[in-house]
Amino acid sequence: ADQPKKTKKVKQGETTQAEETMADESKAEVKETKLKKNKKKNKEAKKGANTEANDGDAKDTQGEEAKADESTTKQENNQAETKSKKNKKKNKEAKKDENTEANGDAKDGTTDGSKNKNSKSQKGKEKKEEQKGDKKRFIVFVGNIPYHATPEDVKKAFSKVNPLGVRFLTDKKTQKFRGFCFVEFTNGEDMGRALMMQGTLCRGRPMNVELTAGGGGNTESRKGKIKTKKRKTKRRKKNTDGEEATSEEG
């Protein structure tokens, strides 16, 4: 009668151990499941963080590219505006020049004949102005001067006719005196008297005194001016001689 009871106790103990083992296994499975879930969550979290970082970099890059495109567009627009302003300015200046020319043609006359007349009258005015300028200055050319002479020596030679100034001509390279000069006087009478001093000595050499028209060279214009001056000088000389003869007769 005692043996069956022992068997039941053993069976009950075995059953309890099996249940405990199953419970431990289920707990272990639950832990593994949780660990797997946590790992999966961590991976997803990392992946999300990397995705956000990549998205942020992409956004920054896009923003920089957009800014660069905006600045390039602005520069191009500014260049286009500058070109258009320059073109407008050129067009205005061209129109202004055209209007000025048109007004000038209207004033001067539209035909070639009227233009030629105006040009001739302008040249005549210029010649008159030149002649007036020549009347204001009375200059003679003096050559054959000793190389060792000074402007003071020439002034002394012309002291009777009150020279206003003496200008020596020198060599451009050596700066040495070339043996001739220009002497200026205050009026035509003094200049005429100076021309009559042809052959006057300066430091022992006879001076060569001639009329000059200024400017140098042998152009026809200069020759004509000299001829005109010679005629005027002869007239002055005749008038002076006539006055002297009259005074002697009186």
Side-chain angles (χ1 to χ4, degrees):
D2 294 333
Q3 286 178 355
K5 287 181 181 179
K6 286 181 182 179
T7 304
K8 284 182 181 179
K9 284 181 181 179
V10 171
K11 287 180 180 179
Q12 288 175 355
E14 288 176 358
T15 302
T16 303
Q17 287 177 357
E19 289 176 352
E20 287 177 356
T21 303
M22 290 175 66
D24 291 337
E25 288 178 356
S26 63
K27 285 179 181 180
E29 288 177 359
V30 170
K31 284 182 179 179
E32 286 180 1
T33 305
K34 285 183 178 180
L35 287 170
K36 286 178 179 179
K37 286 182 178 180
N38 290 330
K39 286 180 180 180
K40 190 175 180 180
K41 284 181 180 180
N42 291 330
K43 284 182 180 180
E44 290 177 353
K46 286 181 180 179
K47 188 176 180 181
N50 291 329
T51 303
E52 288 178 359
N54 292 329
D55 291 340
D57 294 337
K59 286 179 181 178
D60 293 337
T61 304
Q62 289 176 357
E64 290 176 356
E65 290 177 354
K67 287 180 180 179
D69 292 336
E70 286 178 0
S71 62
T72 304
T73 305
K74 285 181 180 179
Q75 287 179 357
E76 290 176 354
N77 292 332
N78 291 331
Q79 289 177 355
E81 287 178 0
T82 305
K83 285 182 180 179
S84 64
K85 286 180 180 178
K86 286 182 179 179
N87 291 329
K88 286 179 180 179
K89 190 175 181 181
K90 286 181 181 178
N91 291 330
K92 284 182 180 179
E93 289 177 353
K95 287 181 180 179
K96 190 176 180 181
D97 292 336
E98 288 176 1
N99 292 330
T100 304
E101 288 177 359
N103 292 330
D105 291 340
K107 289 179 181 178
D108 296 337
T110 54
T111 61
D112 294 335
S114 61
K115 286 182 180 178
N116 291 330
K117 287 179 182 178
N118 290 327
S119 62
K120 286 179 181 179
S121 62
Q122 184 66 27
K123 286 180 181 178
K125 288 180 181 178
E126 289 176 357
K127 285 182 180 179
K128 287 180 181 179
E129 287 176 358
E130 287 178 0
Q131 290 173 0
K132 287 180 181 178
D134 292 338
K135 288 179 182 178
K136 290 179 182 178
R137 298 191 72 182
F138 305 95
I139 302 171
V140 296
F141 172 83
V142 182
N144 200 37
I145 303 171
Y147 291 109
H148 59 277
T150 64
E152 292 299 323
D153 294 330
V154 177
K155 278 187 179 181
K156 286 179 182 178
F158 287 101
S159 60
K160 293 179 180 179
V161 289
N162 305 316
L164 183 64
V166 177
R167 182 165 64 90
F168 270 29
L169 296 179
T170 57
D171 186 85
K172 291 181 179 179
K173 293 181 180 179
T174 62
Q175 297 299 316
K176 290 182 179 180
F177 177 47
R178 297 168 65 185
F180 52 89
C181 67
F182 293 102
V183 182
E184 187 172 0
F185 300 91
T186 55
N187 53 62
E189 291 181 3
D190 289 341
M191 184 182 73
R193 289 163 61 195
L195 289 169
M196 288 186 284
M197 294 177 69
Q198 170 75 13
T200 302
L201 296 178
C202 177
R203 285 287 186 105
R205 291 183 70 177
M207 296 185 297
N208 180 29
V209 186
E210 296 179 1
L211 277 170
T212 181
N218 292 317
T219 61
E220 293 298 326
S221 176
R222 187 168 181 272
K223 288 178 180 178
K225 289 179 183 179
I226 292 172
K227 285 180 181 179
T228 304
K229 283 191 173 184
K230 283 181 178 179
R231 288 194 206 102
K232 291 179 180 178
T233 305
K234 285 179 181 178
R235 287 175 191 169
R236 289 195 193 100
K237 187 177 179 182
K238 285 180 181 179
N239 293 332
T240 304
D241 292 341
E243 288 174 1
E244 289 177 356
T246 305
S247 61
E248 286 177 0
E249 289 174 3

